[in-house]
Amino acid sequence: MDANVFLLFVVRDLRDVLWSLFRFKLAVVDPLDDADRRWRSCPLPVERFMGFLVYYWSRDILHIANCFRAFLAFGDVPVLRYEDLLAGALPEPTECQLEERLQGCGGVAAFLAALAAARDAPTSTLSRALPGMPVFTADEERQIRRLIHALVAGTCLAEVNALFGYH
C-alpha cells in the first residue's frame, strides 16, 4: 500500500454483464466493420442479441471472463461483488480485509457511506443516462435474458460466475 493507494477488483454476475454490454454496444459504440453493422441491423431483438454474441464473444466477453479469473491470482487484493456494493453490504472476510486497509480514513463505514453518496451519480457509462439506449418490450427482454441464462449455464462463463458465488 504505497502512497496510501491500494487496488480493488469488482466483479458482476456475467448474466448482467452480457445484458449491459449488449445494450451499451447498441447505444454508444460505433460499429467497427460490416459484420458489426450486420448484427445491429437484425430486425428482431433476439436475433440482434445472438449476432452480438457471435461478434463480441472472442473480442470482449471472453476477455471479461478471463479478467475475472485473473483477479483471483492476486490473493491479497479484495474482490468485491457489484451486487454487494449496490446493497451497501460486504461479506465479512472482505469487510475485515478492507477495514484493515482503510483504518486511516474512516474504515469500511466511510467507504460504504461514500459509495452510497456516489450511487447513481451521472457517469459516461451509466445506462439510464445514455441517449439512444435501446428499449425492449418486457417479452423481448425476457426472451433475451432466457438466452443469457442458457448461455452462461452452458459455457465457461458458468465456471467463472461460480468462482464469485453466482449460481
Side-chain angles (χ1 to χ4, degrees):
M1 187 164 101
D2 297 327
N4 294 321
V5 175
F6 67 93
L7 189 60
L8 293 172
F9 294 125
V10 178
V11 296
R12 187 174 186 191
D13 187 325
L14 288 170
R15 292 170 287 225
D16 293 325
V17 169
L18 287 174
W19 174 247
S20 179
L21 187 63
F22 169 60
R23 294 173 65 237
F24 183 77
K25 295 288 188 184
L26 277 172
V28 177
V29 178
D30 290 332
L32 299 173
D33 54 32
D34 287 340
D36 198 0
R37 276 186 276 288
R38 219 173 356 268
W39 74 262
R40 293 164 190 265
S41 67
C42 290
L44 299 175
V46 171
E47 291 175 342
R48 211 172 306 139
F49 179 74
M50 294 302 288
F52 155 80
L53 286 176
V54 169
Y55 190 79
Y56 281 103
W57 183 258
S58 62
R59 283 178 171 79
D60 289 11
I61 298 167
L62 288 179
H63 173 73
I64 292 167
N66 287 331
C67 285
F68 282 17
R69 264 194 211 99
F71 294 166
L72 296 176
F74 297 86
D76 61 335
V77 176
V79 179
L80 308 175
R81 289 176 16 144
Y82 172 82
E83 297 79 5
D84 294 337
L85 294 174
L86 204 55
L90 299 172
E92 191 174 322
T94 306
E95 188 172 328
C96 292
Q97 199 176 17
L98 283 179
E99 188 64 50
E100 180 182 317
R101 293 173 184 213
L102 297 172
Q103 284 176 357
C105 55
V108 170
F111 173 77
L112 292 174
L115 189 62
R119 188 174 296 124
D120 294 327
T123 69
S124 61
T125 60
L126 182 64
S127 62
R128 289 186 302 281
L130 293 174
M133 188 54 73
V135 177
F136 299 98
T137 67
D139 188 52
E140 291 167 342
E141 182 174 341
R142 211 173 4 265
Q143 289 175 22
I144 293 169
R145 287 190 179 269
R146 267 197 305 266
L147 282 171
I148 290 170
H149 279 267
L151 174 78
V152 169
T155 65
C156 63
L157 301 182
E159 170 258 326
V160 174
N161 251 4
L163 292 172
F164 300 100
Y166 298 111
H167 303 285

